[in-house]
């Protein structure tokens, strides 16, 4: 089944909005700029979204949805080690998949507000659930700091313009390695045999 013209326009509108938000910030992007970049009228933008806040929330929604699903899947694991591993790997994958949004979230308060609103107050709850899984039950200060540094560091590095040219697989491997070290998780053995000298 193919997307209809309205759905295709909505998808293009969100992609264009994300690009413009990255270039100009949420506050610096107007509905008219989005319409002009798409070559449509402002009325056509209004057909899909009544406000820029609605567009911003829709841009953030896939990342929020993915994070919520990840937290649910990790929490369903029986062993704590499996919870941590699934959450860490899933979070790194989420950061890689949504690099542009993560970069914007790290630098633009407008997108942060939209994420809070699109999660209907759940973003903070997701954050606490993620930290709870990574730091464990009754964590001491060191465990909480390690979990927070791992999450924040992965998000900041994954969305960093300095690493924009790094291949997804290479960046994924590096972020997982750092995350495992910070969280005291065993390193995964490479499936590729190491050549002997």
């Amino acid at each position: 089944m193919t997307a209809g013209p309205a759905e295709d326009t909505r998808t293009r509108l969100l992609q264009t909005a994300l690009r413009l938000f990255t270039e100009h910030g949420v506050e610096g992007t107007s509905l008219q700029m989005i319409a002009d970049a798409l070559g449509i009228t402002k009325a056509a933008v209004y057909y899909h979204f009544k406000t820029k806040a609605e567009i911003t929330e829709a841009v953030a929604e896939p990342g929020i949805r993915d994070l919520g699903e990840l937290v649910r899947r990790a929490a369903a694991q029986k062993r704590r080690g499996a919870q941590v591993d699934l959450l860490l790997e899933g979070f790194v994958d989420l950061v890689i998949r949504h690099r542009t949004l993560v970069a914007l979230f790290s630098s633009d308060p407008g997108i942060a507000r939209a994420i809070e609103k699109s999660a209907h107050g759940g973003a903070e709850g997701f954050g606490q659930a993620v930290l709870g899984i990574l730091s464990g039950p009754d964590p001491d200060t060191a465990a909480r700091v390690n979990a927070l540094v791992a999450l924040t560091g992965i998000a900041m590095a994954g969305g960093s313009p300095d690493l924009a040219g790094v291949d997804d697989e290479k960046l994924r491997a590096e972020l997982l390695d750092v995350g495992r070290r910070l969280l005291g998780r065993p390193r995964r053995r490479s499936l590729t045999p190491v050549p002997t000298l």
Side-chain angles (χ1 to χ4, degrees), residues 26-37:
V26 172
E27 298 303 321
T29 301
S30 68
L31 292 178
Q32 188 63 57
M33 289 169 70
I34 294 169
D36 291 346

Side-chain angles (χ1 to χ4, degrees), residues 110-144:
I111 201 78
R113 283 190 300 272
I115 286 175
E116 272 300 313
K117 191 165 182 188
S118 72
H120 307 292
E124 185 175 321
F126 287 149
Q128 292 305 315
V130 169
L131 285 174
I133 290 169
L134 294 181
S135 59
D138 301 317
D140 60 11
T141 301
R144 291 190 349 248

